[in-house]
Amino acid sequence: MRPKRNLGTVMTVLLLIILPLCLLSCGDADLDIDQEQTEEPLKFIEFVLFPTAPYIDKSYVEKVPEEEVAVGHIDFDAEKEEIQRVYTAFVRAYVEEDMTALQETLDISTGIEWGTSVTGNVYGWHNIRTYIQTNWSISDCEGDLNWELTDFYIRPQNVRAPWTEASAKGQMFYYGVGAVLIEDSCHNDIGRFYFTKKSSEWRIHQIDGSKYFADDKYKAP
């Protein structure tokens, strides 16, 4: 008997949700209620109650403009200072060949990417770690802790990235010429960094990767 009682409860809840909407849509035509005003709530209820149903068109859920879901106020000066601190810690760890300290500056979750001038882009923390260790075994790089990032872009969390994200340019270590690593061939050039802020901590997520952005709407002063 319990399954029938549960089914009856579900049906009652559905009626209580749908009945008011039907009254709105079936009322006096003189009210000239826009059809979309009744369709959108029904679509939302449909999506919440049956999110995995294959016959439901869920495309409307993904059409929310990014600007409408961006939240929070950006304190550009404070965020730039924190991003610079992470970058300086990254340079120090790289020069000192301290993998533990280096990893603490990186967001090694899915999607980490490291662009190189020799082998092209390297994906995934395991592959990037191996690449860095190989470089360290070939040559020592020198970096300046006074290097500063420039051209900051900081974007609040949104439907595509549920965290604050930033892009900036700064000095980066590169090895070799052409398709081979050459001993003692380390040099510096401008790199494009992509940062993510998760759990209130900024981390480097990509270097010369695909997620770098330079949208004037998010240009830091």
Side-chain angles (χ1 to χ4, degrees):
M1 296 299 294
R2 187 176 300 274
K4 291 184 178 179
R5 184 178 301 172
N6 291 340
L7 179 59
T9 302
V10 172
M11 295 303 297
T12 301
V13 172
L14 289 175
L15 288 174
L16 289 175
I17 294 175
I18 296 173
L19 183 58
L21 295 173
C22 290
L23 291 175
L24 284 175
S25 60
C26 299
D28 189 352
D30 293 337
L31 295 178
D32 192 24
I33 299 176
D34 188 350
Q35 185 177 1
E36 291 185 359
Q37 292 178 340
T38 56
E39 285 183 352
E40 292 304 317
L42 284 172
K43 286 181 178 179
F44 177 76
I45 293 170
E46 184 181 55
F47 178 75
V48 171
L49 293 178
F50 310 104
T52 60
Y55 53 84
I56 295 177
D57 177 14
K58 305 182 186 66
S59 60
Y60 61 89
V61 178
E62 302 173 358
K63 293 179 181 178
V64 181
E66 180 178 312
E67 293 79 5
E68 293 184 11
V69 294
V71 298
H73 171 71
I74 299 295
D75 185 340
F76 285 103
D77 290 336
E79 301 295 4
K80 285 166 61 176
E81 182 177 347
E82 180 61 19
I83 293 170
Q84 178 65 48
R85 186 194 67 78
V86 173
Y87 170 71
T88 300
F90 164 81
V91 173
R92 182 192 301 276
Y94 200 101
V95 171
E96 295 178 355
E97 299 185 4
D98 186 339
M99 184 61 73
T100 299
L102 182 71
Q103 182 172 333
E104 291 177 354
T105 69
L106 302 175
D107 174 6
I108 63 174
S109 60
T110 302
I112 186 169
E113 183 179 341
W114 191 300
T116 78
S117 60
V118 178
T119 61
N121 286 22
V122 182
Y123 302 91
W125 172 237
H126 174 74
N127 294 329
I128 290 173
R129 181 188 179 97
T130 300
Y131 172 78
I132 294 171
Q133 290 172 330
T134 300
N135 289 342
W136 285 347
S137 69
I138 292 174
S139 176
D140 294 326
C141 272
E142 294 183 359
D144 188 345
L145 297 182
N146 293 318
W147 282 347
E148 292 189 0
L149 293 168
T150 61
D151 297 326
F152 284 88
Y153 297 85
I154 305 176
R155 183 159 55 195
Q157 64 188 71
N158 55 76
V159 69
R160 296 179 181 84
W163 47 74
T164 307
E165 53 186 346
S167 290
K169 293 180 180 179
Q171 291 289 334
M172 183 51 199
F173 310 101
Y174 294 94
Y175 289 84
V177 179
V180 296
L181 293 175
I182 301 175
E183 188 173 0
D184 297 326
S185 62
C186 178
H187 64 281
N188 303 317
D189 202 351
I190 297 298
R192 300 179 304 146
F193 291 78
Y194 171 72
F195 300 82
T196 55
K197 187 176 185 180
K198 302 175 181 178
S199 301
S200 302
E201 296 288 342
W202 282 106
R203 293 288 184 269
I204 299 169
H205 190 58
Q206 291 187 359
I207 301 172
D208 285 331
S210 57
K211 292 187 178 181
Y212 174 87
F213 63 93
D215 191 331
D216 287 340
K217 291 186 297 184
Y218 306 109
K219 184 75 165 63

